[in-house]
Amino acid sequence: YTLHRIPKLRPDTILVVRELLTHADPKVRCRAVQLLQKHLVVEPQDEARVLLDDPDAEVRKAAVEYLAKIPVFDWEQVARRALLDEAEAVVFRAMCLLKDAKLLRRSDIESMLQSEDAIVRSRALWAVDTIVEGSGQVRISDDVLFDSSTEVRRYAVLAATRDNIPSLLRLIHEERDPAIISCILGALSRHGDNSVVPAIIEFTLHSDGFVRQDAARALGKLNDPRALEALRRLLTDNSI
């Protein structure tokens, strides 16, 4: 920690830090990798590659970040391998490195969506519009729209396309979380398909005031005269 505050390390200090990459304590190994990354020390590439299989997730994450930051290493495949890591923190860091470098691909998102970790699946959907192939290129399946995880469902709804409208209409009648229902209402209005108007009108009678509010907003965006009666009725709704 103290060495991190020093602007430049001497060669003999760097040698000591490199030796600590094999220290018994994972916190020491992790801090040593981070220190070498800060100073862009390129020589320990082989040692860092060994740490990609370290038993400690924080060490693996630090190794991925080190290899991504040093200027002489082709790190892209290392990051893609890390997308399959068992630790969510490692996967998320690898994904962010690829995303920030504009290298994240549809195949990366699709592999993350197969993870058993719901957080990994939600992170993949969070980044779905940043892939190099462009927005809307990842197919949003019913598996993620009807996922058991609230966060996965929420991000899936936000990423849904016009092709998902039939599934969104099924989901909105099965969903019990008001926040997700509101997300679905927004998604249904976003695509400009007025066939969804009758379904949205139903939710102007929902027990949750915020859902009723978002139903009104969705109907306003679609500008369909069939919504007038429901919208007039909401003029006397003083719950919000």
Side-chain angles (χ1 to χ4, degrees):
Y1 278 98
T2 302
L3 289 174
H4 261 265
R5 298 199 294 267
I6 297 175
K8 186 175 181 180
L9 299 181
R10 290 170 30 176
D12 54 341
T13 304
I14 290 173
L15 287 174
V16 172
V17 175
R18 287 181 66 178
E19 291 175 3
L20 294 173
L21 292 173
T22 58
H23 194 276
D25 191 311
K27 291 183 179 178
V28 175
R29 297 196 300 275
C30 183
R31 181 55 62 172
V33 177
Q34 292 168 341
L35 189 58
L36 293 169
Q37 176 199 320
K38 176 188 175 183
H39 294 280
L40 298 178
V41 182
V42 302
E43 291 80 10
Q45 294 177 47
D46 290 340
E47 295 103 303
R49 287 180 69 91
V50 171
L51 294 179
L52 293 172
D53 295 314
D54 195 274
D56 186 84
E58 286 300 312
V59 176
R60 297 197 301 275
K61 183 173 75 168
V64 171
E65 187 154 14
Y66 164 80
L67 291 168
K69 297 297 184 181
I70 61 173
V72 296
F73 186 79
D74 183 10
W75 59 273
E76 194 174 340
Q77 292 308 312
V78 164
R80 289 212 157 83
R81 177 191 171 203
L83 292 177
L84 303 175
D85 197 276
E86 63 183 19
E88 180 274 328
V90 179
V91 177
F92 185 56
R93 189 66 193 118
M95 185 195 77
C96 287
L97 288 166
L98 289 165
K99 178 179 73 70
D100 293 346
K102 302 188 186 314
L103 294 170
L104 190 65
R105 298 190 175 277
R106 181 172 61 191
S107 57
D108 300 327
I109 297 296
E110 289 171 348
S111 70
M112 291 173 65
L113 289 176
Q114 300 304 311
S115 172
E116 295 183 2
D117 190 325
I119 298 177
V120 171
R121 299 196 299 276
S122 68
R123 296 282 193 257
L125 292 164
W126 168 76
V128 75
D129 286 336
T130 67
I131 59 173
V132 297
E133 290 89 350
S135 177
Q137 296 303 305
V138 175
R139 177 180 165 274
I140 304 302
S141 69
D142 283 1
D143 287 342
V144 290
L145 281 171
F146 291 85
D147 197 279
S148 59
S149 164
T150 302
E151 279 298 284
V152 173
R153 295 199 305 279
R154 182 166 74 91
Y155 282 117
V157 168
L158 292 173
T161 67
R162 192 183 187 94
D163 292 340
N164 295 118
I165 287 177
S167 295
L168 290 173
L169 290 172
R170 284 194 293 117
L171 178 61
I172 199 171
H173 288 99
E174 295 181 18
E175 183 61 57
R176 294 295 174 264
D177 188 309
I180 305 297
I181 293 172
S182 288
C183 281
I184 299 170
L185 290 167
L188 289 172
S189 66
R190 188 168 62 240
H191 301 296
D193 185 339
N194 281 38
S195 68
V196 305
V197 167
I200 296 177
I201 289 174
E202 292 180 39
F203 285 86
T204 63
L205 299 172
H206 195 274
S207 60
D208 186 278
F210 288 105
V211 170
R212 298 196 299 276
Q213 172 185 262
D214 289 323
R217 286 175 173 163
L219 291 170
K221 288 181 182 178
L222 291 169
N223 196 27
D224 190 301
R226 290 175 293 175
L228 287 174
E229 182 181 347
L231 290 172
R232 288 193 184 103
R233 185 173 61 248
L234 290 177
L235 289 173
T236 59
D237 188 329
N238 298 315
S239 59
I240 296 180

